[in-house]
Amino acid sequence: MDSSRVYVYGIVHAGRSLPPDVRGVGRPAAAVRLLPVGELAAVVSDVPDDLRARRRDLMAHQELLTRLGAGAPVLPMRFGMVAEDAATVRQAVEAAAATHLAALERLRDRTEMNLKATPAQSGIEALVRADAGVRRLLADVRRTPSYEGNVRLGQAVAEGLARRATEAVEEALPRLSALADGFVRGPDVPGCVLNGSFLVPNAAQERFRAEVERYAAGCAERVELRLTGPLPCYSFVPQDGAEPGTPARTSAAHAGVGG
């Protein structure tokens, strides 16, 4: 362990206690502690000597934040957030204290739910019935088979499936957003027409999940929906001045460091 640098997991209200037996990243797992800063506290540990974006460390980081967020709000840091020392963390947290306190209040009794949507591959038959252009290309290929014809047909099918999936998602978003206190679109994910996160009140989690399942069943020929959560509220942490320290200049920094 590096005895001076500090690994930062998140920011919580002062006076919080850590879950029992909670451990951090690294092998052996780092001991986690609270670093008080006025009305706030940073959740930190020493930095493992070989910090990298290994699956076990990514999972340890997320599990710690999930356990913290189960009892009270937490502003999560992305994996790999490292500061040069404790003083750097204190200074950064103190400088943005008002922003952190407002964000913690917004996240109180809420959680993040992530929704990914992909075109329904089982919907090709429905696409052919609905799309005259695809029907025409299919007839051409059957009448005069060719490589170029197959390529054009394949592209038309892929585009048609993606279009139908996108339309289905856009129909669902208003109803899902009505059950949430926030919605943001995340980075593009290959194969997905939507990667979006919702800030869902804890009391509405089951209703939100049931609405996703209901819509997924009703639109199974157009879109496949995958809901993940509850998650740490990464997508709803303020971007400016929200993170203490500097990302580790290792491969960990490419695992999504940032607020």
Side-chain angles (χ1 to χ4, degrees), residues 53-211:
R54 299 184 182 90
R55 177 174 173 79
R56 69 168 186 265
D57 286 333
L58 290 166
M59 296 304 295
H61 179 98
Q62 181 147 313
E63 181 181 355
L64 184 153
L65 290 169
T66 300
R67 292 182 66 186
L68 277 175
V74 56
L75 299 185
M77 299 295 118
R78 299 280 183 182
F79 179 88
M81 181 57 62
V82 171
E84 289 304 313
D85 52 33
T88 301
V89 178
R90 288 194 180 96
Q91 182 179 8
V93 173
E94 185 175 14
T99 298
H100 295 324
L101 288 167
L104 284 169
E105 188 58 35
R106 186 189 183 208
L107 300 184
R108 186 184 298 277
D109 298 325
R110 295 170 177 85
T111 192
E112 179 168 334
M113 306 290 279
N114 176 261
L115 183 67
K116 290 183 174 63
T118 56
Q121 298 305 310
S122 61
I124 293 178
E125 189 173 321
L127 171 65
V128 172
R129 290 197 303 268
D131 192 310
V134 172
R135 288 199 304 274
R136 184 167 55 252
L137 288 172
L138 179 60
D140 290 344
V141 166
R142 286 175 173 170
R143 183 171 56 253
T144 311
S146 70
Y147 172 78
E148 292 78 7
N150 283 327
V151 169
R152 286 195 298 271
L153 176 61
Q155 290 174 338
V157 168
E159 291 169 0
L161 292 177
R163 183 178 63 254
R164 285 165 57 83
T166 299
E167 291 169 353
V169 166
E170 294 303 323
E171 291 169 10
L173 282 180
R175 281 179 282 183
L176 295 176
S177 296
L179 299 175
D181 291 331
F183 169 72
V184 294
R185 293 180 186 268
D188 290 342
V189 174
C192 291
V193 299
L194 174 73
N195 171 31
S197 289
F198 298 82
L199 186 63
V200 180
N202 292 341
Q205 274 190 51
E206 292 309 312
R207 185 180 171 194
F208 185 88
R209 193 181 302 277
E211 181 66 12

